Amino acid sequence: QQQQQQQQQQQWAAWTCWGRLGVQALSVSIHPHSCCPPPTHPTATLQPETPSASNMHPDTRMCWKWSSASDCFLLLCFIIVAESIPIDKIKVNKVEEPEVQASPETPDTGLYYDRYLREVIDVLETDKHFREKLQTADIEEIKSGRMAKELNLVSHLVRTKLDELKRQEVTRLRMLIKAKIDAQQDAGIDHHALLKQFEHLNHQNPHSFEPEDLELLIQTATSDLENYDKDRHEEFKQYEMLKEHERREYLKSLDEEKRKEEEAKFDELRKKHKDHPKINHPGSKDQLKEVWEETDGLDPEDFDPKTFFKLHDTNGDGFLDEQEMEALFTKELEKIYDPNNAEDDMMEMEEERLRMREHVMKEIDVNKDRLISAEEFMRASEKKEFGETDPWETLDEQDLYSDDELQEFEKRLSNQENELRLKSVDLLKQREELELQQDQLHAQKLEYHQAAQQLEQKKQAQHAPVPEGPHGELRFQPGMNPAASPGHHQSQEQPVV
């Protein structure tokens, strides 16, 4: 914009200069005294006449001719100047605001304090000193929690935000505890003691975020993430044993003929599930080339590990995280599992995906930070195992649990069912007792209502008028209380003989 303004000023200056020169030349050409003698007529200066060829002096006619030629020359100069030096309008260029690129969303860790962990990391990364230390720190230094000492060097604003985050997290945990207690309808529980089960913060100081809180958060998150996959495997094993237990219990409820039909149907479905194409080894060249061809739509002959890494680093952070790795196995899993088939269990598909990701991480993730860098990926592509062609052993080819584990599970399940049955019996007894108490209260309510009605009838009878005959004598009515008549006491005092 400044350059355009300077250029425009220069153009205006040039225009003004040419204009001044043209005005001066024109003024010289039209004034008679500049090139010819003044008119001799005394009133010529007062009443100018239009010059004509008849009344003009010869020198004057020559001067006017020269003036007309000079005017044409000046007009031509103005046209040339106007064509050669165009005056551009001021164009205000809109300042394009830089697009704010949204930071890549971090995948959910699965921890119950995942939000608190994310918010603490986001706040700490706003501090320049801590961010630089974090980038240069070793993975073991981060996992051990030794980075927590750097918290003393962050700005006061960052510490204030961390204090607020901790207070919010403590409040959230207390609300969870209260909800659990209300659900159990139990009283007399120490809230402070229940907070001890949450190891990712210092519950004794619920108001400020200290280096100890950061150390506890890092260590707890590291430990929980390492055990997270193990817990998921255990949950899946429990799911498979429960499914087998329910199948056996269902077969026990059938007669011999139907039982054989169900067993034959089950064997047929299991055989159909095992009939699938070859499953490439996760992380092998064949498996990645298949993704390269079918998902990315590229020629398998042009497969390049470096380009493949960049294509599937969806958030552009320079790493393949667990979710990005699991997305690479979708094509292989679709060979085995179809949600429209009765023989395919989607819970098994997710377990298979988890096993594939664990295998690749174990082979490639050298520093065990649960992330695969470009360097680790390229180094793995140069190993001999990268060209492995052996098929992947799926879940249906493995024994997920032993017979002893299934028996132990069924025994434990039976004990739980017995406990639930006893609780159910106790609840039925309590219900019967409550119904009996309700009947008794209803009977008492009826008695009180009848007694209140009788009292009201007696009260109305006492205030009722005394019946009299046609001559004013008392008239006896059945059911009338003789004591209610005013002459009753008088008849007793003066008996009639």
Side-chain angles (χ1 to χ4, degrees), residues 249-265:
E249 292 296 322
Y250 173 69
L251 292 176
K252 290 179 182 179
S253 64
L254 303 177
D255 55 24
E256 187 68 21
E257 183 179 357
K258 290 185 177 180
R259 187 183 303 113
K260 291 182 179 180
E261 292 179 359
E262 289 295 328
E263 289 180 349
K265 182 179 179 180

Side-chain angles (χ1 to χ4, degrees), residues 165-177:
L165 289 177
K166 183 179 179 180
R167 286 192 290 268
Q168 293 176 1
E169 179 68 4
V170 172
T171 303
R172 184 183 71 88
L173 296 178
R174 286 175 174 171
M175 291 177 64
L176 291 176
I177 293 174

Side-chain angles (χ1 to χ4, degrees), residues 353-414:
R353 190 192 303 272
L354 176 61
R355 291 177 61 249
M356 289 181 173
R357 189 252 296 166
E358 283 182 333
H359 172 76
V360 174
M361 286 291 183
K362 184 178 179 180
E363 296 292 330
I364 302 179
D365 186 17
V366 179
N367 56 4
K368 307 303 177 184
D369 61 350
R370 303 176 73 90
L371 296 171
I372 295 179
S373 64
E375 183 181 356
E376 291 174 334
F377 187 82
M378 295 301 298
R379 191 182 301 118
S381 65
E382 298 173 357
K383 293 182 179 179
K384 180 181 178 182
E385 293 80 1
F386 186 66
E388 186 175 359
T389 57
D390 296 337
W392 172 252
E393 186 177 356
T394 57
L395 286 172
D396 50 20
E397 300 174 351
Q398 298 180 359
D399 295 329
L400 301 177
Y401 50 84
S402 61
D403 294 337
D404 294 338
E405 290 177 333
L406 181 59
Q407 292 177 2
E408 182 65 24
F409 174 78
E410 290 180 337
K411 182 179 179 181
R412 186 168 63 253
L413 194 62
S414 177

Side-chain angles (χ1 to χ4, degrees), residues 197-332:
Q197 62 181 319
F198 304 111
E199 300 177 351
H200 63 284
L201 49 75
N202 181 16
H203 57 86
Q204 297 180 352
N205 178 20
H207 305 293
S208 61
F209 192 93
E210 302 296 334
E212 181 182 1
D213 293 291
L214 182 58
E215 183 177 359
L216 288 174
L217 181 61
I218 295 175
Q219 292 178 351
T220 306
T222 302
S223 176
D224 291 345
L225 287 174
E226 290 177 352
N227 298 326
Y228 182 67
D229 293 341
K230 182 179 178 181
D231 296 339
R232 284 183 60 181
H233 289 311
E234 185 63 27
E235 290 177 1
F236 177 74
K237 182 188 293 187
Q238 299 289 328
Y239 168 78
E240 287 293 320
M241 290 190 293
L242 178 61
K243 189 167 65 172
E244 178 64 19
H245 170 73
E246 292 177 348
R247 189 184 73 85
R248 292 184 179 184
E249 292 296 322
Y250 173 69
L251 292 176
K252 290 179 182 179
S253 64
L254 303 177
D255 55 24
E256 187 68 21
E257 183 179 357
K258 290 185 177 180
R259 187 183 303 113
K260 291 182 179 180
E261 292 179 359
E262 289 295 328
E263 289 180 349
K265 182 179 179 180
F266 176 76
D267 293 339
E268 182 181 357
L269 290 176
R270 184 166 56 182
K271 182 179 179 181
K272 184 178 179 182
H273 175 69
K274 290 183 178 181
D275 186 14
H276 53 73
K278 173 189 173 183
I279 306 301
N280 294 316
H281 212 78
S284 65
K285 185 176 182 180
D286 292 340
Q287 189 261 321
L288 298 183
K289 284 180 68 174
E290 189 172 348
V291 176
W292 174 277
E293 180 180 4
E294 298 186 8
T295 303
D296 302 331
L298 300 175
D299 188 353
E301 300 298 330
D302 299 333
F303 176 76
D304 179 44
K306 186 176 181 179
T307 306
F308 183 89
F309 182 90
K310 292 182 178 180
L311 285 175
H312 295 276
D313 180 17
T314 55
N315 58 5
D317 60 352
F319 296 91
L320 293 179
D321 55 39
E322 295 178 347
Q323 281 70 25
E324 291 170 339
M325 286 299 303
E326 290 180 359
L328 300 178
F329 311 134
T330 302
K331 285 295 179 182
E332 299 300 323

Side-chain angles (χ1 to χ4, degrees), residues 6 50 69 142 144 158 202-203 219 236 244 251 276 278 297 339 376 425 431 436 447 474:
Q6 291 177 359
T50 305
I142 297 176
S144 63
V158 173
N202 181 16
H203 57 86
Q219 292 178 351
F236 177 74
E244 178 64 19
L251 292 176
H276 53 73
K278 173 189 173 183
E376 291 174 334
V425 172
R431 179 181 177 181
L436 181 61
E447 292 177 2
L474 294 175

Side-chain angles (χ1 to χ4, degrees), residues 6-70:
Q6 291 177 359
Q7 183 179 3
Q8 182 189 7
Q9 291 175 359
Q10 293 175 359
Q11 292 173 353
W12 276 106
W15 177 270
T16 305
C17 180
W18 279 98
R20 288 178 179 176
L21 292 175
V23 170
Q24 292 177 1
L26 183 61
S27 61
V28 171
S29 64
I30 63 176
H31 286 296
H33 63 271
S34 62
C35 62
C36 57
T40 57
H41 199 280
T43 61
T45 56
L46 298 177
Q47 296 179 357
E49 295 180 358
T50 305
S52 61
S54 60
N55 58 3
M56 279 187 182
H57 191 274
D59 296 337
T60 305
R61 287 197 299 268
M62 187 179 297
C63 180
W64 279 107
K65 290 180 181 179
W66 181 85
S67 176
S68 300
S70 62

